[in-house]
Amino acid sequence: MKTDFTFFEQVYEVVKLIPFGRVTSYGAIAKYLGAAKSSRMVGWAMNAACNHPEIPAHRVVNRNGLLTGKAHFETPFAMQIALEKEGILVENDQIKNFKIVFWDPNENLNF
DNA sequence: AAGATGACGATTG
DNA sequence: CCAATCGCCATCT
């Protein structure tokens, strides 16, 4: 396991750039990094980001707005709680106003 | 070295 | 509309 500063670091950058009360999807990050088809790697990067406490991984969900990664947190509820704490409504592990709180890095560039 | 796995996504049936 | 499958690519066993 060596410090691969390329793909992972960029993922961390984007995730850290996610505004408060906003979320994004793996595919959006992957696309932003130019690896739209490597959305899996984004998730894997998040797994590696476990050593990066400054990475709000709870703000990253799949394209359905589903908290698929909740099982990888300290507790399965940590993710949902963290999101609700930011004002994001979550029900059945799914973000209700996902399309409202959704934050796309590509869109942010043009914003 | 080869096969299986995975915090996904899109397409096909 | 729901279920199943393929693709993609790095990591793990």
Side-chain angles (χ1 to χ4, degrees), chain A residues 1-9 12 48 51-52:
Chain A
M1 171 198 285
K2 53 188 176 256
T3 39
D4 294 80
F5 290 103
T6 37
F7 191 82
F8 285 22
E9 187 181 83
Y12 305 149
N51 282 322
H52 301 253

Side-chain angles (χ1 to χ4, degrees), chain A residues 18-97:
Chain A
I18 301 175
F20 186 90
R22 286 284 223 275
V23 295
T24 190
S25 62
Y26 304 98
I29 297 173
K31 188 174 185 181
Y32 171 72
L33 298 178
K37 297 173 181 182
S38 304
S39 45
R40 283 189 168 120
M41 300 298 93
V42 179
W44 201 256
M46 293 276 89
N47 193 7
C50 284
N51 282 322
H52 301 253
E54 309 301 78
I55 310 293
H58 60 269
R59 291 184 186 154
V60 186
V61 295
N62 69 350
R63 90 121 185 133
N64 287 312
L66 195 67
L67 283 58
T68 51
K70 68 181 184 115
H72 294 261
F73 280 77
E74 302 176 66
T75 59
F77 297 94
M79 191 171 189
Q80 179 172 337
I81 292 171
L83 290 170
E84 291 181 325
K85 241 173 124 173
E86 301 195 356
I88 300 173
L89 302 178
V90 179
E91 183 178 283
N92 193 17
D93 297 332
Q94 183 178 9
I95 299 175
K96 292 171 70 88
N97 48 355

